[in-house]
Amino acid sequence: MIYTLLKYTITPLAKVLFRVKIIGKENLPNSGYIMASNHNDNSDPVFLSILTKKQIYFLAWHQLLFPPNKIRFILKHIKTLILIEKGKGKSQPAIDQAVKIIKQGNIFAIFPEGTTQGKDKLLRAHRGVARISLKAKVPVIPIAIIGTAHMYSKGSEILPKRIPRVTVNIGSPLYFKKYYGKHNDRKITKQVADKVMKEIRLLYYQYHYFL
């Protein structure tokens, strides 16, 4: 209910307010895939939601439901969040849940960096995107969101200090069929995660410098 309300209120407003430009929308499959995007700001899920009318499931840190996060009360009521806990061995339940949801034909979104701290300097990817993709046996769509870095002042999570123009650059699907089923191989999952992040960087920087 909350997700639907936000999708049909906040998302259209953001599209107009931030003058969102979408590149490569034809690269999105009809169903059963993973969106993998850079993560410059907490508003990034809104811009991924603009890309499709379908419901998107997001991976989110369990800690976001607790202080000091100012929007934790809203997040607690969004049923499309798959919560993952930090710590060795604690990610498996979230991985399994994501795979189940994707195999049902749903769209799943993940921010491989796992943090917004990198801003314009994109960070290394965690292996979660690879583990999920190889176990679910679905393509990964690399996506770059350009313009959201430094949009908010430090400590603010509600009102941005500026209204930038946002561009969403969507790359071609990445298929890792030769690695399917090898989701527990740390060497392979690192290779896959690095490849995904490399494609995101290319999409980000090839457009970023022309703004």
Side-chain angles (χ1 to χ4, degrees), residues 12-157:
L13 178 62
K15 188 174 183 179
V16 174
L17 189 63
F18 293 93
R19 297 156 292 161
V20 178
K21 179 179 181 180
I22 301 172
I23 302 172
K25 192 172 182 179
E26 67 277 4
N27 290 324
L28 294 176
N30 290 325
S31 62
Y33 62 91
I34 298 172
M35 291 181 173
S37 171
N38 62 300
H39 201 16
N40 289 352
D41 187 82
N42 290 332
S43 65
D44 292 332
V46 174
F47 298 106
L48 291 185
S49 297
I50 288 174
L51 304 181
T52 177
K53 293 181 179 179
K54 296 180 180 179
Q55 182 169 278
I56 302 175
Y57 289 82
F58 289 90
L59 189 70
W61 290 116
H62 184 263
Q63 288 78 359
L64 291 177
L65 302 185
F66 301 96
N69 190 357
K70 297 176 182 179
I71 61 171
R72 61 187 183 277
F73 300 108
I74 296 176
L75 296 179
K76 286 180 179 179
H77 293 90
I78 297 179
K79 303 303 181 182
T80 59
L81 292 182
I82 298 174
L83 300 176
I84 184 171
E85 293 190 55
K86 293 184 178 181
K88 187 176 181 180
K90 292 186 177 181
S91 62
Q92 194 59 52
I95 298 293
D96 292 341
Q97 187 180 358
V99 170
K100 181 180 179 180
I101 286 172
I102 296 168
K103 284 187 173 182
Q104 292 172 345
N106 295 298
I107 302 169
F108 175 75
I110 186 172
F111 300 101
E113 295 166 281
T115 178
T116 61
Q117 294 181 6
K119 297 302 179 183
D120 286 327
K121 183 180 179 181
L122 274 58
L123 306 176
R124 288 188 177 184
H126 291 278
R127 295 183 305 111
V129 63
R131 293 171 63 192
I132 295 170
S133 173
L134 300 186
K135 190 172 183 179
K137 300 179 180 179
V138 293
V140 178
I141 314 301
I143 298 173
I145 302 175
I146 302 105
T148 59
H150 314 296
M151 188 166 68
Y152 285 83
S153 57
K154 188 175 181 180
S156 174
E157 295 179 21

